[in-house]
Amino acid sequence: MTSPQSPAIPHVPEGLPDRIRHFIDGEFVDSVGGATFDVLDPVSNTSYVQAAAGQMADIDRAVAAARRAFDDGPWPRMLPRARSRILNRVADIVESRDARLAELESFDSGLPITQALGQAQRAAENFRFFADLIVAQTDDAYKVPGRQLNYVNRKPKGVAGLITPWNTPFMLESWKLAPALASGCAVVLKPAEFTPLSASLWADIFREAGVPDGVFNLVNGLGEEAGDALVKHPDVQLISFTGESSTGQVIFANCAPTLKGMSMELGGKSPAVVFADADLDAAIDSTLFGVFSLNGERCTAGSRILVERPVYDEFVERFAARAADIVVGDPHDPATEVGALVHPEHFAKVMSYVEIGKSEGRLVAGGGRPAHLPTGNYVAPTVFVDVAPSARTFQEEIFGPVVAITPFDTEEEALHLANGVKYGLAAYIWTTDLERAHLFAQAVDSGMVWLNSHNVRDLRTPFGGVKASGLGHEGGYRSLDFYSDQQAVHITLGPVHTPRFGAH
């Protein structure tokens, strides 16, 4: 374990860049107009570097490079095995640098270092998975014996615009980059402005792995400037966006004039439903991890816990005691379980919900800044109980280490509470009754359900939400479907019997 630092002084990695630039057509470049923005670290909330702030001219330049690489370059025309070898090299490089990636990610985002390391390793696995999938995939063929053969010809769609969030940024960038590149697309990545540091590492990783110039392009900047220009650009065929729901609505509208393909993974207010027959030890472990890991800044967080009344008091008592013992501190310290929230703006938002929650439920843990951390974006794991379903802390996404716990008496009430929000991303169900587990899971309005487990996902399965939590699904073959056009080719065998119009 590293020696504890002063809570106001972040661990500063060696070799930080003197500035963060765009990467376009194989070169690091500044913004055409010279615009920049400050990047803060979440422990001291001071600027440690300036990043190039992309505008429309920078997006135009990046899209033009991607278009040339797609139209004239080798990448879309490579055999799947050739692209697979390069993607596996990407995975090898990411794995070999996982400690460095984790250090930079922890410094830039406030994630605990041990959790940031796991995200870096997951990023490598994303590339390895899609490298394997494009070699193993099959496309459909249909035969009418002696008459017709029909087959599907899969073609990359073109230039993909990828807009990624600030929570676990490097991993979530890999989640989009891997299938987009595997499919043969060229890409323009617009990372979140709060956390641009780790995204800047992709350029050298791809160059070293052998990705041709122009296939990967990176433009930093604000969402309302660089992101908006990317969404509206007529030469971008599709947009993959992860972020909050109101931004998703704006992107949806702005994609319409150019009829872009869209995949949007948006917000969540996911329920964890604990029945009285559940393994309470396992349920407490999982629900604590599910809402407080990654600083609570996760779309799939089980931030509403619904507990059947016979075990409600015991659950609340044990959950609150454990929450109070969670280690909050320096993100670089391996002992830390909850680090600093990403940015002072987000810290202020989460703290405002903490104050709202004090009038909506009974506070049994946390409730503000930890006493030993007077500066930085630190929030103690906060637990409100007896929260009414109409409460804002029950209904609205907080995206921080704050949880609402509510009792229920019947299975029907539990389902009504679980479905009683505008979101529908994930759900977690704890019961030993197998029949109830399956029926309840199928009745929940959510894109994903975990039974007697926290969020452990097989990369072959679809990822996405319903209602305000998203549009479309990615993961496995669904990702390849999103980044590809599936062209149907029909071949007639033998004479063609066509009505002879005009032949009298």
Side-chain angles (χ1 to χ4, degrees):
M1 182 182 298
T2 59
S3 299
Q5 299 200 133
S6 166
I9 301 174
H11 165 83
V12 180
E14 294 182 1
L16 287 177
D18 58 355
R19 56 184 171 162
I20 294 175
R21 307 169 79 190
H22 311 309
F23 185 76
I24 298 174
D25 206 12
E27 295 183 348
F28 288 101
V29 296
D30 294 317
S31 292
V32 171
T36 62
F37 63 95
D38 289 331
V39 185
L40 310 182
D41 82 79
V43 172
S44 70
N45 280 329
T46 58
S47 173
Y48 72 89
V49 74
Q50 286 195 322
Q55 314 287 323
M56 184 178 293
D58 305 294
I59 291 293
D60 286 344
R61 187 177 175 187
V63 172
R67 190 79 245 169
R68 286 192 301 272
F70 184 79
D71 290 342
D72 304 324
W75 189 252
R77 295 158 191 85
M78 285 184 180
L79 291 174
R81 176 66 73 187
R83 278 204 301 270
S84 174
R85 289 193 183 102
I86 292 174
L87 297 179
N88 271 311
R89 284 202 289 271
V90 170
D92 291 340
I93 295 167
V94 171
E95 279 183 344
S96 72
R97 300 176 188 173
D98 58 0
R100 173 66 171 171
L101 287 165
E103 182 185 32
L104 295 177
E105 192 89 307
S106 178
F107 171 71
D108 197 31
S109 70
L111 285 176
I113 186 72
T114 53
Q115 296 171 40
L117 181 63
Q119 296 300 314
Q121 293 164 348
R122 183 70 162 186
E125 180 58 25
N126 284 334
F127 271 89
R128 207 170 299 289
F129 173 82
F130 283 104
D132 292 343
L133 194 62
I134 57 170
V135 174
Q137 75 174 0
T138 59
D139 286 313
D140 295 328
Y142 307 93
K143 182 173 65 172
V144 181
R147 294 187 179 182
Q148 196 173 55
L149 173 66
N150 312 276
Y151 67 88
V152 175
N153 177 39
R154 188 181 292 271
K155 302 166 68 174
K157 280 192 174 178
V159 177
L162 312 178
I163 303 176
T164 52
W166 46 255
N167 61 316
T168 64
F170 190 81
M171 192 282 289
L172 288 176
E173 288 151 12
S174 76
W175 199 337
K176 299 181 187 299
L177 286 165
L181 295 176
S183 298
C185 290
V187 304
V188 177
L189 170 67
K190 207 299 284 183
E193 56 264 34
F194 286 174
T195 53
L197 181 60
S198 60
S200 66
L201 303 177
W202 286 115
D204 284 334
I205 291 170
F206 289 142
R207 198 152 51 182
E208 185 176 332
V211 176
D213 290 347
V215 172
F216 167 76
N217 303 275
L218 165 68
V219 178
N220 295 291
L222 307 184
E224 57 268 30
E225 295 174 355
D228 187 63
L230 183 60
V231 167
K232 292 176 178 176
H233 202 289
D235 280 341
V236 174
Q237 277 66 55
L238 67 168
I239 294 289
S240 178
F241 170 74
T242 298
E244 53 100 22
S245 299
S246 60
T247 305
Q249 291 174 314
V250 174
I251 290 174
F252 195 123
N254 287 337
C255 282
T258 50
L259 297 175
K260 285 180 172 55
M262 285 180 294
S263 177
M264 296 198 292
E265 193 263 287
L266 306 176
K269 191 71 176 178
S270 300
V273 183
V274 181
F275 287 96
D277 66 343
D279 178 338
L280 216 55
D281 292 336
I284 288 169
D285 285 345
S286 178
T287 50
L288 280 159
F289 181 83
V291 73
F292 295 130
S293 59
L294 305 180
N295 298 345
E297 297 166 324
R298 60 187 306 163
C299 52
T300 54
S303 54
R304 296 181 296 137
I305 304 177
L306 314 176
V307 184
E308 195 167 11
R309 202 172 296 274
V311 295
Y312 181 75
D313 289 342
E314 180 187 355
F315 184 94
V316 164
E317 181 180 357
R318 293 175 61 188
F319 189 97
R322 287 274 297 278
D325 283 341
I326 288 174
V327 178
V328 184
D330 176 11
H332 188 68
D333 188 334
T336 293
E337 295 170 313
V338 171
L341 300 190
V342 68
H343 192 274
E345 287 179 18
H346 186 59
F347 172 79
K349 173 196 168 183
V350 173
M351 289 295 283
S352 73
Y353 274 104
V354 171
E355 293 308 308
I356 290 167
K358 290 176 182 177
S359 65
E360 293 184 332
R362 180 163 56 93
L363 177 67
V364 295
R369 177 188 291 281
H372 68 292
L373 296 167
T375 59
N377 304 325
Y378 294 104
V379 177
T382 296
V383 182
F384 294 109
V385 302
D386 308 337
V387 179
S390 59
R392 290 184 64 187
T393 48
F394 188 97
Q395 290 289 328
E396 299 175 18
E397 184 178 41
I398 300 171
F399 218 66
V402 181
V403 66
I405 306 182
T406 301
F408 68 86
D409 291 298
T410 66
E411 193 171 320
E412 292 73 23
E413 182 187 8
L415 183 62
H416 177 75
L417 291 171
N419 289 342
V421 299
K422 70 177 183 179
Y423 298 103
L425 188 57
Y428 307 87
I429 300 166
W430 288 87
T431 179
T432 55
D433 184 328
L434 185 62
E435 181 177 323
R436 173 166 61 192
H438 286 290
L439 292 175
F440 197 95
Q442 293 171 25
V444 170
D445 294 334
S446 68
M448 299 168 288
V449 182
W450 279 268
L451 300 176
N452 298 325
S453 169
H454 63 278
N455 183 339
V456 181
R457 180 174 163 262
D458 187 314
L459 291 175
R460 293 171 295 183
T461 60
F463 187 102
V466 299
K467 301 195 291 190
S469 287
L471 178 72
H473 289 77
E474 296 188 39
Y477 283 111
R478 291 162 183 83
S479 291
L480 300 184
D481 288 346
F482 175 66
Y483 292 105
S484 305
D485 283 321
Q486 296 176 64
Q487 178 188 55
V489 180
H490 305 272
I491 304 111
T492 298
L493 307 175
V496 178
H497 301 286
T498 305
R500 302 184 66 223
F501 280 28
H504 299 293

